[in-house]
Amino acid sequence: MGTENTLAGCELERTAKTEMGIQLESGNGAVTEVQERRRVKTSRVSRQRIPRWGILLFVILAAFAVARTLQRGVEAAKTTQPPVRPVLVAKVISKDVPLYLDEIGTCAAYETVQVQAQVSGQIIARHFQDGADVKKGDLLFTIDPRPYQAALEQAQAQATLDQITMKRQQELRARNVISPQDLDTAQANAHKSEAAAAAAQVNIDFCYIKSPINGRAGLRLVDVGNIVSGNTGSGAVLLTIQGLDPIYTDFTVAETDLALVRKYLGGPNVKVQTYSPDEKIPPRVGDLYFIDTAVQPGSGTVKARGVTPNPDHALWPSEFVRVRLILDTIKDARLVPSQAVQISQSGPFIFVLKPDNTVDLRPVKPGQRQDGDLMVVESGIEPGETVVVTGQLALAPGTKVDPKPYNAPNGASDQAAASKSAM
């Protein structure tokens, strides 16, 4: 009985503690009591109110954290965007330019005269300096005129005598004293003596050798005291004079360009532009004088010749020059700096600047280069548009750029003005 009462008492105690929320584990009541105390403490803390300054501090800290997060997001977005590329830009200009072929040529004297003695005799005077410019009619050499002067006086005397004889014969014939044949003989002798006197005068004139053209004297081949002959052999050449104004410009045209040349041959715009070797003087513009009628078999070229003004003798015979055969004029051609035209696998292209400082890629059809580092663009752009001249390496369509005006080389005024207006 005692044992049963003890078991019943323990069961009642366990049941009472379970109703109070205490869980028993293996009959260990100490652990159950500690858990009950913690529940009591927690319930007491939950009943206490949070102060307002704590809530305000929490809101401020939360706002700061959100702002810091947003700032980091903006900085990260900036770092991911590509940097703005600096470029040089220029406006597309429009003006008339030539259609041309560039060739290499040489200059040749417009006139070349070998001065020869026409009468024999001794040279007694020289009236020019070697290499001097001479004009037509200037005295060059004097041949001893005394023998020819004597012959002239003799011919004149004979002519006077024959004139007197002819007049007497005319008077006698008028009185019918002589036959008509005698009068005819007298008249013929008079004319013959007059011709002999004129020939003697010509020989006198030939003693004074004068320049037949305007030109530049070469090196003399005889000196004073030499005996010259009046024959036409090479030994009678005294001096060579070359006409230098105007001057010929000789060049060749390739067989492949012959069709283009023939298309514009005879047109009003066909000109020959000659450049000096050192390019220290402006180019000379002349006319196309001659083009050969056949292609040379060995070289596949056609000979051509232009006439170029040369008043200052800047161009010299046998001098190599650069020749530009202008065939026609291209009206209102679109021009850009040659550096603006780029080449890709798809062909030539140009970056065009948009109003929002981004670039657009345009396929273009380039033409000939022009003076001032310009290039003709036949299609793809319009006058007034702005193109990128330098800095294309890192560009792509839509890239943001920082445009600066492009300064054209060699002082090209048209392109420089256009570049400044690009901004």
Side-chain angles (χ1 to χ4, degrees), residues 110-320:
Y110 187 75
E111 295 174 298
T112 301
V113 176
Q114 292 181 334
V115 179
Q116 297 179 345
Q118 294 177 283
V119 294
S120 300
Q122 184 183 37
I123 295 179
I124 61 174
R126 175 171 60 89
H127 307 280
F128 70 97
Q129 292 292 331
D130 295 342
D133 292 329
V134 295
K135 295 182 179 180
K136 184 177 181 179
D138 287 352
L139 186 61
L140 302 176
F141 295 98
T142 300
I143 297 177
D144 188 0
R146 291 176 295 177
Y148 302 99
Q149 184 66 38
L152 173 62
E153 293 176 357
Q154 182 180 358
Q156 289 175 343
Q158 185 63 41
T160 301
L161 179 60
D162 290 342
Q163 287 290 333
I164 295 173
T165 302
M166 183 184 66
K167 289 180 180 179
R168 288 176 180 175
Q169 294 291 75
Q170 288 175 346
E171 293 175 356
L172 293 174
R173 180 58 189 163
R175 292 190 299 228
N176 202 20
V177 174
I178 62 175
S179 64
Q181 184 177 2
D182 293 336
L183 177 60
D184 294 341
T185 301
Q187 290 177 343
N189 291 333
H191 290 306
K192 183 179 180 180
S193 60
E194 287 179 359
Q201 182 62 54
V202 170
N203 289 334
I204 288 291
D205 294 339
F206 284 161
C207 291
Y208 302 94
I209 301 176
K210 298 179 181 180
S211 175
I213 62 171
N214 295 331
R216 189 176 184 87
L219 189 65
R220 70 184 186 276
L221 301 179
V222 295
D223 290 316
V224 174
N226 287 9
I227 303 297
V228 295
S229 175
N231 58 34
T232 58
S234 59
V237 177
L238 310 180
L239 175 69
T240 299
I241 300 176
Q242 292 183 322
L244 303 181
D245 183 28
I247 196 169
Y248 285 132
T249 301
D250 294 333
F251 59 99
T252 58
V253 177
E255 183 179 1
T256 54
D257 296 327
L258 186 58
L260 181 64
V261 174
R262 292 176 59 188
K263 178 181 178 181
Y264 296 100
L265 195 62
N269 297 325
V270 177
K271 298 291 181 182
V272 176
Q273 201 168 28
T274 304
Y275 295 80
S276 64
D278 54 6
E279 296 186 355
K280 291 183 179 179
I281 62 174
R284 308 289 173 87
V285 180
D287 298 322
L288 182 64
Y289 173 74
F290 164 79
I291 187 166
D292 206 351
T293 56
V295 178
Q296 299 183 40
S299 61
T301 58
V302 180
K303 292 182 179 180
R305 167 172 281 186
V307 179
T308 305
N310 192 32
D312 55 354
H313 296 177
L315 301 177
W316 217 247
S318 301
E319 182 180 35
F320 282 97

Side-chain angles (χ1 to χ4, degrees), residues 29-88:
V31 175
T32 303
E33 290 179 359
V34 172
Q35 292 178 353
E36 180 63 21
R37 290 174 184 174
R38 288 180 179 175
R39 288 185 180 181
V40 173
K41 291 181 179 180
T42 303
S43 63
R44 289 177 181 177
V45 172
S46 62
R47 293 192 186 102
Q48 295 179 358
R49 298 180 60 184
I50 299 176
R52 294 182 178 178
W53 61 268
I55 298 175
L56 181 60
L57 179 61
F58 174 76
V59 171
I60 293 174
L61 292 176
F64 177 78
V66 172
R68 184 60 179 170
T69 303
L70 293 176
Q71 183 179 3
R72 289 180 179 177
V74 171
E75 292 177 354
K78 288 183 178 180
T79 56
T80 57
Q81 292 180 354
V84 177
R85 303 290 182 180
V87 295
L88 299 181

Side-chain angles (χ1 to χ4, degrees), residues 84-85 353-359 398-403 423:
V84 177
R85 303 290 182 180
L353 184 67
K354 293 182 177 181
D356 59 353
N357 284 349
T358 60
V359 295
T399 303
K400 193 81 171 180
V401 296
D402 179 20
M423 300 302 295

